[in-house]
Amino acid sequence: MRTTVGIIGAGPAGLLLARLLHNAGIDSVVLESRDRAYVEHRQRAGILEQGTVDVLRAAGAAERMDREGLRHDGIELRFDRRRHRVDFPALTGGRSVMVYAQTEVCKDLIALQLDEGGPLLFEAEALAVEGAESDRPSIRFRHQGREDVLECDYVVGCDGFWGVARKAVPASLSQVFERTYPFGWLGILADVAPSHDELVYARHDRGFALLSMRSPSVSRLYLQVPADTDAEAWSDEQIWDELERRLETDDDWTLRRGPITQKSVTPMRSYVHEPMRHGRLFLAGDAAHIVPPTGAKGLNLAVGDVVTFARAFVHERETGSAALLDAYSATCLRRVWQAERFSYDMTTMLHRDPDATAFEGRLQRARLDRISSCRAAETDLAEGYTGFPIG
């Protein structure tokens, strides 16, 4: 097989890249190790930044998102039983975010790719990226019980942290920056209408809590728990009781309870691999960086990466200049590190570190007091949450 751009991974990054390239008249092949049902149902992110929403609309992939997604113009911060709303449009010149699950983004992009785009091969396991330093890189993969080779002009690895793409970057050229947090998120899906019409981020002495949603009838909620927690060790009643404690306020707000349909524990880590390019191999999304979910940045960073690559590739086609492709890693990393900084700030401001002192607890409250009383600090949060510029 041969194509112009070989894409490893049919998550939102790989699928969106295929769509952007198709719209520009550039052929690609997408290889995905899992089956279609798995890709369309794995629960991941649910918050789309303004820039991501704009990209999906421009790509012709937003019809269902615009119909079913939930536009949010702010978030609520809770601490010391107090409530403070951050008004995004008022602080950012009209920007907002969209609640629309990653599973739905993938469904939309898969349907478009199968109907209009190039080959999308499910259950096609990438085994290695070879010849990244040459002008004819290739992907060795296994599909339908036999090995094959996809020859490419360029390879883009959107295959996540455990994928093969990053392994093709020589260790002597790689730098890794990471932090693992001593806590995780116990997350649940529940068949109950959300208890608030916007996301609620709560700092509590017992630990962090987040009230989110997937639709007007499905709630998504999280509790900070020790990193080694077994989700099944928590009964449904214990989860609801703890959420109620951590989200409590001094007014008459109440938490709605309902049947829990799914529960799992998400680890918390920050990770960046530099560079994000080696020869004709480009890394995107979790293959190059991971953020704790507090800042809702993971999916949106991946979108920024593939938009940057697509723009650079089209620029080379139109002008003959590889300057933007050569700058890919540096361009992406500027945005990545701002998102890492924002996610770290949100995480350390809202979570209770088991080794924290009383002094550090007071600093958390001081940071929240500053945001709730200073427009400049509040604006910085709103700008970070709604998204940093792409490119």
Side-chain angles (χ1 to χ4, degrees):
M1 296 179 66
R2 172 150 187 84
T3 191
T4 301
V5 180
I7 301 170
I8 310 175
L15 291 166
L16 177 59
L17 177 57
R19 179 67 181 176
L20 295 173
L21 295 174
H22 169 77
N23 288 349
I26 299 164
D27 64 291
S28 68
V29 173
V30 183
L31 305 176
E32 168 56 47
S33 63
R34 303 282 192 161
D35 62 27
R36 180 177 180 178
Y38 180 89
V39 174
E40 292 187 338
H41 292 91
R42 57 184 166 192
Q43 291 293 329
R44 292 291 189 273
I47 303 295
L48 308 183
E49 295 174 354
Q50 182 70 64
T52 298
V53 170
D54 294 343
V55 166
L56 290 172
R57 286 173 177 159
E63 180 182 353
R64 194 162 68 92
M65 178 196 73
D66 283 331
R67 187 172 67 249
E68 300 178 11
L70 306 173
R71 172 181 163 138
H72 280 202
D73 288 334
I75 59 172
E76 183 172 287
L77 300 175
R78 291 190 186 179
F79 59 104
D80 297 337
R81 302 175 66 94
R82 296 157 50 193
R83 306 170 65 174
H84 176 76
R85 181 175 184 267
V86 179
D87 186 331
F88 293 156
L91 296 163
T92 64
R95 296 169 67 83
S96 62
V97 297
M98 182 81 74
V99 176
Y100 191 64
Q102 175 174 315
T103 51
E104 307 311 307
V105 174
C106 287
K107 289 175 186 175
D108 296 342
L109 290 170
I110 286 171
L112 286 170
Q113 183 71 8
L114 294 177
D115 186 46
E116 302 174 8
L120 166 54
L121 306 182
F122 291 103
E123 299 181 87
E125 179 187 7
L127 302 174
V129 176
E130 299 172 338
E133 296 177 345
S134 73
D135 59 1
R136 288 291 179 89
S138 62
I139 306 167
R140 186 161 48 84
F141 68 100
R142 183 183 295 112
H143 185 236
Q144 296 180 339
R146 66 183 182 88
E147 284 195 18
D148 203 343
V149 174
L150 176 63
E151 297 179 343
C152 320
D153 292 335
Y154 293 92
V155 175
V156 182
C158 306
D159 52 344
F161 182 78
W162 300 107
V164 301
R166 191 176 64 253
K167 298 174 184 176
V169 181
S172 60
L173 301 179
S174 298
Q175 282 188 291
V176 169
F177 307 88
E178 61 184 325
R179 173 169 181 172
T180 301
Y181 299 86
F183 43 76
W185 278 8
L186 171 60
I188 64 167
L189 279 175
D191 285 338
V192 61
S195 302
H196 193 60
D197 55 2
E198 293 177 334
L199 273 69
V200 176
Y201 289 77
R203 187 262 178 208
H204 194 278
D205 289 340
R206 296 175 64 90
F208 170 75
L210 171 62
L211 188 160
S212 183
M213 66 280 298
R214 284 293 178 264
S215 74
S217 60
V218 177
S219 292
R220 183 74 159 151
L221 301 106
Y222 298 92
L223 285 169
Q224 176 189 343
V225 294
D228 59 354
T229 295
D230 176 4
E232 297 306 319
W234 283 68
S235 70
D236 292 4
E237 184 177 7
Q238 285 175 312
I239 291 171
W240 286 119
D241 287 348
E242 191 62 25
L243 284 165
E244 200 163 72
R245 290 187 193 100
R246 298 188 193 183
L247 292 164
E248 63 189 356
T249 63
D250 279 334
D251 58 19
D252 59 357
W253 179 89
T254 58
L255 177 67
R256 296 176 183 143
R257 302 188 179 205
I260 295 176
T261 59
Q262 184 184 110
K263 61 178 91 166
S264 61
V265 173
T266 301
M268 304 280 282
R269 66 186 307 218
S270 301
Y271 175 93
V272 179
H273 178 280
E274 296 186 9
M276 289 176 58
R277 178 197 179 180
H278 174 60
R280 293 199 171 205
L281 166 65
F282 296 75
L283 304 179
D286 286 0
H289 43 72
I290 294 172
V291 289
T294 324
K297 289 284 163 272
L299 181 155
N300 296 290
L301 274 183
V303 167
D305 293 343
V306 298
V307 168
T308 300
F309 175 83
R311 287 176 179 170
F313 191 86
V314 170
H315 178 77
E316 184 190 43
R317 279 289 181 92
E318 293 178 345
T319 68
S321 170
L324 296 185
L325 281 173
D326 291 341
Y328 171 82
S329 184
T331 301
C332 290
L333 284 169
R334 282 194 295 271
R335 188 168 185 264
V336 166
W337 277 112
Q338 284 302 316
E340 291 282 358
R341 187 267 310 168
F342 177 78
S343 300
Y344 174 84
D345 286 349
M346 289 283 284
T347 300
T348 55
M349 179 175 68
L350 294 166
H351 290 74
R352 183 182 180 277
D353 190 314
D355 297 322
T357 64
F359 176 83
E360 290 163 318
R362 289 294 191 186
L363 286 181
Q364 287 182 311
R365 293 177 182 175
R367 291 164 70 185
L368 287 161
D369 277 331
R370 178 70 173 169
I371 290 168
S372 62
S373 62
C374 172
R375 186 177 178 87
E378 190 179 24
T379 298
D380 184 61
L381 187 153
E383 288 179 345
Y385 199 96
T386 55
F388 301 102
I390 296 174

